[in-house]
């Protein structure tokens, strides 16, 4: 998978070169390119913002640098797009990645590349969305700042990308970079080979629509706190039952809305046609 990120703070994204995602790039499983929006300005001050039409506080990001930056992204992503490389497999039927979204279709049937635009006004990011985005051969992320990006950029981008405004959650950040870090990590770890043991992707929070069970390691007794006896029993049937009970208890206590009409698949990996 190829990922491109456009930001006025490229150094903010430096951690994407570390740890698991860094090794995945060394192994050729992922490539992550960061583009400085200021490289696409034309004035000596490398201006990326201006005052808002209609008045109001703050500044708005100018459209032209964004269009030039995103055109460069389109150009650089074309080989991966044309190869359709690196989706973890067939796109889950019915998901946007599977071409079910006609809006994403290009002339000649080629799918438009996905552009994720972090925004407080976006669709909330979920594990299900992470699975869907992980099916794409390329992803582009536009990190806004100030009061946001001139809306005409998104209108223009829809002619070239499948544009997805996405929010990290219902709180206010100063820009899109933190959201992109979270999304790139959540998506990147789903690309086959990035996480050493794919088993660990199965039993984690949200992968089955429930919060994960508590985990323990040695010593079995620590400062007067003991590991639950069932986990020392070696009885795998009892252990699985206990873990599911813990998941249900935690989810009911902390995220009861996940249980309403819970169809675990509705929150985890999209259903695949049998
Ligand atoms: N994803 C996400 C977000 C953002 C977010 C994302 C991009 C930008 C670009 C600018 N701001 C500041 C800003 C603040 C308020 C109103 N309008 C703009 C951003 C906030 N805030 N909260 C989230 N969950």
């Amino acid at each position: 998978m190829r990922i491109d990120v456009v930001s006025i703070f490229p150094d903010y994204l430096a951690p994407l070169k570390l740890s698991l995602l860094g090794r995945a790039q060394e192994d050729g499983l992922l490539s992550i390119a960061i583009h400085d929006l200021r490289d696409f300005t034309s004035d000596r001050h490398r201006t990326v913002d201006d005052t808002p039409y209609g008045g109001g506080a703050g500044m708005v990001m100018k459209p032209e640098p964004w269009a030039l930056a995103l055109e460069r992204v389109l150009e650089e992503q074309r080989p991966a797009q044309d190869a359709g490389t690196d989706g973890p497999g067939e796109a889950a039927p019915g998901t946007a990645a599977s071409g079910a979204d006609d809006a994403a279709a290009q002339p000649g049937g080629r799918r438009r590349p996905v552009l994720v635009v972090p925004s407080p006004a976006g669709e909330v990011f979920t594990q299900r969305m992470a699975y869907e985005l992980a099916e794409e051969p390329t992803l582009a992320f536009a990190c806004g700042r100030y009061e946001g990006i001139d809306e005409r950029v998104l209108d223009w981008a829809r002619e070239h990308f499948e544009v997805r405004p996405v929010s990290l959650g219902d709180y206010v950040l100063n820009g899109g970079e933190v959201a992109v870090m979270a999304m790139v990590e959540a998506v990147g770890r789903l690309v086959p080979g990035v996480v050493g043991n794919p088993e660990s992707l199965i039993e984690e929070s949200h992968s089955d629509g429930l919060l994960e069970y508590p985990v323990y390691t040695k010593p079995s007794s620590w400062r007067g706190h003991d590991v639950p006896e069932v986990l020392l029993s070696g009885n795998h049937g009892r252990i699985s039952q206990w873990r599911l009970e813990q998941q249900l208890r935690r989810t009911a206590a902390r995220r009861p809305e996940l249980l309403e009409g819970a169809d675990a698949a509705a929150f985890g990996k999209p259903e695949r046609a049998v």
Side-chain angles (χ1 to χ4, degrees):
M1 173 184 284
R2 170 158 178 150
I3 296 173
D4 288 77
V5 184
V6 182
S7 168
I8 59 171
F9 295 124
D11 292 349
Y12 218 114
L13 285 307
L16 293 178
K17 300 289 185 192
L18 303 176
S19 184
L20 216 60
L21 295 183
R23 191 161 53 247
Q25 292 170 77
E26 289 163 13
D27 296 346
L29 296 171
L30 284 178
S31 70
I32 301 178
I34 312 297
H35 306 266
D36 185 342
L37 182 69
R38 293 191 192 278
D39 291 346
F40 300 89
T41 58
S42 52
D43 66 306
R44 60 196 289 264
H45 297 295
R46 294 163 54 92
T47 308
V48 293
D49 64 309
D50 205 333
T51 53
Y53 277 118
M59 303 292 273
V60 173
M61 301 191 91
K62 296 163 61 71
E64 185 61 12
W66 275 108
L68 295 173
L70 292 174
E71 283 173 338
R72 171 74 59 79
V73 168
L74 283 168
E75 187 184 313
E76 295 190 3
Q77 288 193 341
R78 193 167 308 290
Q81 268 293 322
D82 290 349
T85 53
D86 300 335
E90 281 305 303
T95 58
S98 66
D101 172 0
D102 294 344
Q106 294 257 58
R110 190 155 47 84
R111 284 182 40 65
R112 287 199 181 106
V114 171
L115 172 65
V116 176
V117 184
S119 165
E123 181 187 352
V124 175
F125 185 68
T126 62
Q127 187 64 21
R128 179 182 182 84
M129 195 184 295
Y131 279 120
E132 289 181 4
L133 294 176
E135 304 280 350
E136 295 292 330
T138 66
L139 291 176
F141 291 87
C143 296
R145 279 275 159 173
Y146 306 101
E147 294 308 309
I149 301 171
D150 186 306
E151 190 65 20
R152 292 170 294 178
V153 173
L154 280 74
D155 297 337
W156 168 85
R158 287 189 187 94
E159 300 161 17
H160 309 277
F161 294 91
E162 178 195 337
V163 177
R164 298 192 67 172
V166 179
S167 169
L168 200 55
D170 293 335
Y171 39 82
V172 179
L173 301 170
N174 289 331
E177 285 80 6
V178 166
V180 166
M181 298 277 282
M183 295 180 206
V184 168
E185 177 156 318
V187 173
R189 65 197 300 275
L190 298 178
V191 173
V194 172
V195 169
N197 175 9
E199 285 287 306
S200 59
L201 295 177
I202 294 169
E203 292 193 339
E204 58 192 10
S205 280
H206 301 289
S207 63
D208 58 1
L210 298 174
L211 301 186
E212 65 189 19
Y213 49 77
V215 291
Y216 302 83
T217 188
K218 302 182 200 52
S220 61
S221 186
W222 172 75
R223 294 193 181 200
H225 297 271
D226 296 341
V227 169
E229 175 276 330
V230 63
L231 299 181
L232 309 176
S233 69
N235 182 327
H236 296 292
R238 279 187 63 211
I239 291 168
S240 294
Q241 182 59 32
W242 179 85
R243 283 174 167 173
L244 176 58
E245 285 164 7
Q246 294 297 313
Q247 282 186 275
L248 290 166
R249 185 172 299 165
R250 271 186 166 185
T251 306
R254 300 177 189 173
R255 295 292 302 278
E257 77 279 9
L258 294 181
L259 290 175
E260 282 151 27
D263 163 6
F267 298 90
K269 198 167 188 55
E271 276 300 315
R272 289 174 184 273
V274 289

